[in-house]
Amino acid sequence: KAGVTQTPRYLIKTRGQQVTLSCSPISGHRSVSWYQQTPGQGLQFLFEYFSETQRNKGNFPGRFSGRQFSNSRSEMNVSTLELGDSALYLCASSLGGPQRSDTQYFGPGTRLTVL
Amino acid sequence: AQSVTQLGSHVSVSEGALVLLRCNYSSSVPPYLFWYVQYPNQGLQLLLKYTTGATLVKGINGFEAEFKKSETSFHLTKPSAHMSDAAEYFCAVNKGYSTLTFGKGTMLLVSP
């Protein structure tokens, strides 16, 4: 099976702009989660989508949003970019059941730089 | 609340030496624990996971971890380090519904 793919791999934006990142999960996986990774804060959970519905949300401002399509592909959007949004954004897919043994598989990430 | 703490932001070993990366968890319910590895400019790769049953879990690349409830620990070990093991390692607990809480990570440095 193909792994989780993320596009684009690298992005450079300026403050105030908005950006959209894309994630394609492993075939058959219905859950997509997004994480932000920075040197200072580490890996932080943004939100999770299952069957086109947001099930969980982390502690991030409303500038961060996402959606999931019927084929389980997901996008996340960041509006009004700030310098602090520079980070590696990781997407993970899983089967999405409630059991905590469910394993998440990660994509290579999108490196966002805000100037 | 469930959380994990990784002791040591950096660990240095010589090639061929034992690797020991420490992870302690805090959980009011039986934890489901994971170790991931991240190589430079890449995403996270699953090394191993503990769900229930056997407390010694074997993973990929010769790594293993032992779940010790009495010590609330899930330390990662490898008998003999290889240069290719140099990477950042993350311990995580699954809170359910595809939500992982990660430790701060430990950078493993391997010298020849």
Side-chain angles (χ1 to χ4, degrees):
Chain A
K1 278 185 180 178
V4 179
T5 59
Q6 293 187 245
T7 56
R9 291 294 311 277
Y10 301 92
L11 268 177
I12 300 176
K13 294 286 187 178
T14 56
R15 279 182 299 174
Q17 288 187 309
Q18 75 166 14
V19 67
T20 298
L21 313 181
S22 181
C23 173
S24 292
I26 292 170
S27 178
H29 284 188
R30 297 171 64 190
S31 169
V32 173
S33 299
W34 289 89
Y35 295 84
Q36 182 196 64
Q37 185 178 25
T38 59
Q41 299 299 316
L43 281 154
Q44 293 184 288
F45 172 74
L46 280 157
F47 33 64
E48 184 255 356
Y49 286 86
F50 179 80
S51 292
E52 303 178 65
T53 300
Q54 186 182 87
R55 281 198 304 192
N56 293 295
K57 187 177 190 303
N59 189 26
F60 278 82
R63 299 185 298 107
F64 292 83
S65 63
R67 59 177 176 170
Q68 187 180 34
F69 302 95
S70 59
N71 62 357
S72 294
R73 190 177 70 85
S74 177
E75 291 181 344
M76 69 163 280
N77 184 275
V78 188
S79 62
T80 320
L81 283 166
E82 301 177 359
L83 294 178
D85 297 332
S86 294
L88 180 67
Y89 290 88
L90 292 163
C91 159
S93 79
S94 68
L95 294 172
Q99 64 278 8
R100 290 180 289 122
S101 58
D102 194 27
T103 299
Q104 292 188 43
Y105 298 89
F106 284 80
T110 295
R111 173 75 62 184
L112 172 65
T113 302
V114 182
L115 303 177
Chain B
Q2 298 184 63
S3 65
V4 291
T5 302
Q6 291 184 244
L7 300 175
S9 59
H10 292 78
V11 169
S12 296
V13 300
S14 299
E15 193 173 20
L18 171 71
V19 175
L20 171 60
L21 305 181
R22 300 178 187 272
C23 174
N24 288 89
Y25 68 88
S26 172
S27 178
S28 57
V29 297
Y32 288 75
L33 298 161
F34 300 75
W35 275 101
Y36 285 87
V37 61
Q38 186 177 35
Y39 298 100
N41 299 314
Q42 294 188 28
L44 302 177
Q45 180 182 8
L46 178 70
L47 279 175
L48 50 82
K49 70 177 184 180
Y50 169 77
T51 54
T52 57
T55 56
L56 183 61
V57 182
K58 294 187 183 299
I60 62 171
N61 302 338
F63 284 93
E64 61 183 35
E66 187 171 9
F67 174 73
K68 292 186 176 181
K69 185 178 180 180
S70 61
E71 299 177 8
T72 61
S73 68
F74 189 55
H75 301 331
L76 183 70
T77 61
K78 182 174 180 177
S80 177
H82 192 272
M83 296 294 289
S84 61
D85 295 326
E88 191 160 20
Y89 293 78
F90 294 91
C91 181
V93 61
N94 192 340
K95 299 172 66 175
Y97 293 102
S98 307
T99 305
L100 288 172
T101 297
F102 287 91
K104 291 291 189 184
T106 298
M107 185 69 71
L108 177 64
L109 308 169
V110 183
S111 57

